[in-house]
Every structure is written in structure tokens, then in C-alpha cells.
Amino acid sequence: MPTDIRPTTGQEALELLKAGNARYVDSLTSTDEYMQRRPELVKDQNPLAIILGCSDARVPVEIVFDQGLGDLFVIRVAGNVVAPSQIGSIEFAAEAFGTQLVVVLGHSKCGAVTACVETLINPEQNYSPNLQSIVDRIRPSVYNLHELATANGQDVDADELVDRSIRANVRMSVCQLKHGSRALEDLTNSGQLLVVGAEYDLETGKVRFLDS
Ligand SMILES: [Zn+2]
């Protein structure tokens, strides 16, 4: 259920998200309580975590973490990639609200990562320049895995490559957030901001937090 508890550290915020996902997996969520806090949120917000997630319709962030109105500051973009506007949004939330946890949330069967893998397997694959700009941001994390998979001249198992690439892409976004912004790097180094990666499983509903 939504809670008024506000964590004092990033680690405490992480525990709240883990507990919320466990409620979601066990079908113990309580969406009818979400709207009760609307009046108190008119003046201010105090989100307990910042989430950089994928736009995929099957991964609605508040629902999978069983959080309510005002609890999460969410940025969603296909492939949970990091570009200047994503970094700026996170800088804003971390500085304006003092939110101490950032989660990069990838997910199984991600279409954006799959599109990127397809461009490596079939270089003649064409996307619009706008979609290509997303694919290009995913490419570095997929490229090495693809090189490794093709090193022996064997056929690539596309599903396995997508699966591994999803986690590599999350880790790359985490790294870019930790080191792609002076403001975020300072907060991280002083222990005021925790940036972690996670993967949502479409089949089980579970969020698995990745070792950094
Ligand atoms: Zn996705």
C-alpha cells in the first residue's frame, strides 16, 4: 500500500521499492488508496525515488512498485537510454527534492534493445533518424556482446543476445548517470545519491536489482 514513510537514505528507499514490488507480485496492491493524497500534494512533492524506465506499456512504474501519487519521479523513454534531457530531469529531482535513489529499470523482451540487436545481425535494417538515435545510444552495450557471440563464426542466438544486452544496457545507463553529470557525480561521491540498475521480468512481475 502507499505509505507516508519517507526514507532518510537511498538504501531505505530501495527497501521500500523492493517491498512494493513484492506486494505487486503477490497481487496485494491497493490502487484505490492512491488518490487520497492528492490534496496534500498540491503544494509540494517529495518523491522517494527517481526511476528511469522504458516506455513499454507493460512496465508501468508506479504499479510494479506499488507506489502512489507523489511517490515516484519517473522518466520513461524507449530503451531507458540516457540523453541530456534525462540527465537534466534527474538532476532537477535530486537537487529540488533531495531524492536519494535513482533506479534504471530495464525489462525483459525490450523492443528498443531488440531493434538494436537486429541492426547488428542485419546491418541493412533501417529505422527513422529519430528511432535510430535511440538505437545508437543502446548500441555500445550490445556491440561487444555481439562481437563475442560471432567471434567463433557461429550463428547468433538472437534471444539470448537480447536478454544479455538488456542488462548491459541498464548497466551502461547507470554508469552514464553516475559519471555523465558533475552534479550527480558529486551527490553520488558524497553518499547522498544511490544509483542502481534493475530488470523487470514481464512473466513473473519481479524486479531484480543488479549488482553494480
Ligand atoms: Zn523496453
Side-chain angles (χ1 to χ4, degrees):
M1 55 190 274
T3 175
D4 288 333
I5 298 171
R6 277 298 176 265
T8 57
T9 66
Q11 192 60 42
E12 281 181 21
L14 190 59
E15 296 307 319
L16 288 173
L17 292 187
K18 286 179 179 176
N21 180 243
R23 290 193 300 275
Y24 165 73
V25 169
D26 291 338
S27 301
L28 296 173
T29 55
S30 46
T31 51
D32 56 334
E33 296 178 29
Y34 286 172
M35 294 304 148
Q36 292 177 7
R37 296 182 59 212
R38 192 166 63 201
E40 69 185 80
L41 288 166
V42 172
K43 280 189 179 172
D44 206 0
Q45 58 176 311
N46 183 19
L48 65 90
I50 302 162
I51 314 287
L52 172 59
C54 181
S55 302
D56 194 300
R58 300 166 292 181
V59 196
V61 176
E62 280 87 352
I63 293 175
V64 306
F65 285 119
D66 189 31
Q67 298 299 316
L69 213 59
D71 286 335
L72 301 178
F73 190 95
V74 180
I75 303 117
R76 290 178 70 177
V77 57
N80 37 272
V81 295
V82 172
S85 56
Q86 280 81 50
I87 295 179
S89 300
I90 293 170
E91 286 176 349
F92 169 71
E95 290 174 352
F97 313 126
T99 307
Q100 296 187 62
L101 174 66
V102 179
V103 177
V104 177
L105 181 65
H107 65 96
S108 58
K109 302 190 189 304
C110 181
V113 175
T114 302
C116 184
V117 168
E118 282 171 357
T119 63
L120 287 167
I121 292 175
N122 173 17
E124 299 191 354
Q125 179 78 45
N126 271 325
Y127 297 115
S128 76
N130 299 310
L131 177 51
Q132 188 64 45
S133 74
I134 292 175
V135 168
D136 287 345
R137 289 187 183 279
I138 298 171
R139 179 182 285 266
S141 56
V142 180
Y143 183 79
N144 285 344
L145 291 173
H146 180 259
E147 287 293 292
L148 215 60
T150 54
N152 299 327
Q154 296 170 342
D155 286 342
V156 177
D157 182 332
D159 288 343
E160 189 186 335
L161 187 56
V162 168
D163 194 46
R164 295 178 62 189
S165 297
I166 286 163
R167 287 183 288 282
N169 182 50
V170 166
R171 288 192 170 97
M172 184 173 68
S173 289
V174 167
C175 188
Q176 288 169 338
L177 291 180
K178 280 182 173 174
H179 304 295
S181 150
R182 170 58 74 84
L184 297 182
E185 190 158 10
D186 286 350
L187 286 170
T188 303
N189 288 341
S190 64
Q192 293 172 276
L193 189 70
L194 182 62
V195 185
V196 300
E199 182 186 15
Y200 174 80
D201 186 318
L202 291 184
E203 287 181 36
T204 65
K206 284 186 182 167
V207 173
R208 183 166 75 90
F209 287 87
L210 308 180
D211 298 330
S212 52

